Amino acid sequence: VTPALASLLAGRALDSLPPVRSRLYATLAALRPQQLPAGALAHFLTSGLGDASVLARSECQCMLRAWAAAMGVLEGLDAEGAGEVDGGQALADLMACLDVEGDLSQEAGAEAALNHLLSRSEWLSEGEQCVRDLLLSDADLPPERLLIARVMVAVDPALWNASQALSGTRLLRRVLGALDAGQTFELRQLLLLLLRLDVAVEAV
């Protein structure tokens, strides 16, 4: 998909007629997300998932699930979410297509997508693993998995606050490391995460 065509399609997402917007998302569902520029992907997701029309919003949700399935790591899943699914790296791969560190609009599109996908059982295992990797490990996380972890906690903060394994020490070390390294994206995700969690803080 050329930049010019992507720009033309992006204009259809703002069309005044819901059926036009709905047909756009039905058409986009046949593409792979890698075929579209990251900015256009974010625009489609932000516009479609927040569309005032139930018809257009539902079609965008189907498009998103089809894109996740197109990552090549889901088995037996159709656009309606039917079948047995192994989440694997589907969410992280989709976030990579959005270039989540690119700018805030792309991060917003990624977050909108995650809010929908993580509300469904098919992708919970990958979301939960990202949170465990962040909270219980000192290993560096790619930006895509860091964003997934942050949104996963936001979906159900009470679940993670009830965990006896949480400690603020590891998170604060990550915050200080991101601050020292000037990692703006990582620092923002960690601070937003801390706002959601009730953690016990030991001496750092």
Side-chain angles (χ1 to χ4, degrees):
V1 177
T2 66
L5 178 56
S7 178
L8 178 64
L9 293 173
R12 292 292 184 269
L14 302 176
D15 194 278
S16 61
L17 298 176
V20 172
R21 303 196 300 273
S22 179
R23 284 195 298 272
L24 167 68
Y25 299 125
T27 301
L28 291 173
L31 300 177
R32 289 183 175 269
Q34 300 95 321
Q35 295 176 271
L36 292 163
L41 283 175
H43 173 71
F44 294 135
L45 290 168
T46 304
S47 300
L49 294 173
D51 201 297
S53 164
V54 174
L55 176 65
R57 188 167 63 250
S58 176
E59 202 65 60
C60 183
Q61 291 169 349
C62 289
M63 174 199 75
L64 173 58
R65 295 195 296 271
W67 282 353
M71 291 294 96
V73 294
L74 301 184
E75 297 180 359
L77 178 70
D78 62 21
E80 296 301 324
E84 296 297 322
V85 180
D86 175 12
Q89 288 285 122
L91 299 183
D93 290 345
L94 182 57
M95 295 302 102
C97 293
L98 282 155
D99 185 19
V100 296
E101 289 185 288
D103 60 40
L104 289 176
S105 67
Q106 288 164 209
E107 182 182 332
E111 184 170 356
L114 288 171
N115 278 324
H116 174 68
L117 294 174
L118 290 174
S119 69
R120 300 173 63 87
S121 61
E122 300 96 321
W123 288 279
L124 282 180
S125 61
E126 183 180 354
E128 291 169 350
Q129 186 58 54
C130 288
V131 178
R132 286 192 290 268
D133 290 346
L134 176 64
L135 299 180
L136 306 177
S137 169
D138 291 320
D140 291 337
L141 259 66
E144 298 83 12
R145 294 183 68 80
L146 181 59
L147 177 62
I148 294 168
R150 195 260 291 175
V151 177
M152 183 70 201
V153 169
V155 168
D156 190 0
L159 172 67
W160 299 100
N161 282 324
S163 172
Q164 298 300 310
L166 291 184
S167 169
T169 303
R170 185 171 285 112
L171 277 176
L172 289 177
R173 284 177 177 158
R174 286 186 180 275
V175 168
L176 293 175
L179 183 61
D180 290 342
Q183 297 291 337
T184 305
F185 178 84
E186 181 178 0
L187 183 61
R188 183 170 63 256
Q189 304 311 311
L190 292 171
L191 292 176
L192 289 170
L193 187 68
L194 283 171
L195 290 174
R196 295 283 187 173
L197 292 176
D198 298 326
V199 292
V201 180
E202 305 163 2
V204 178

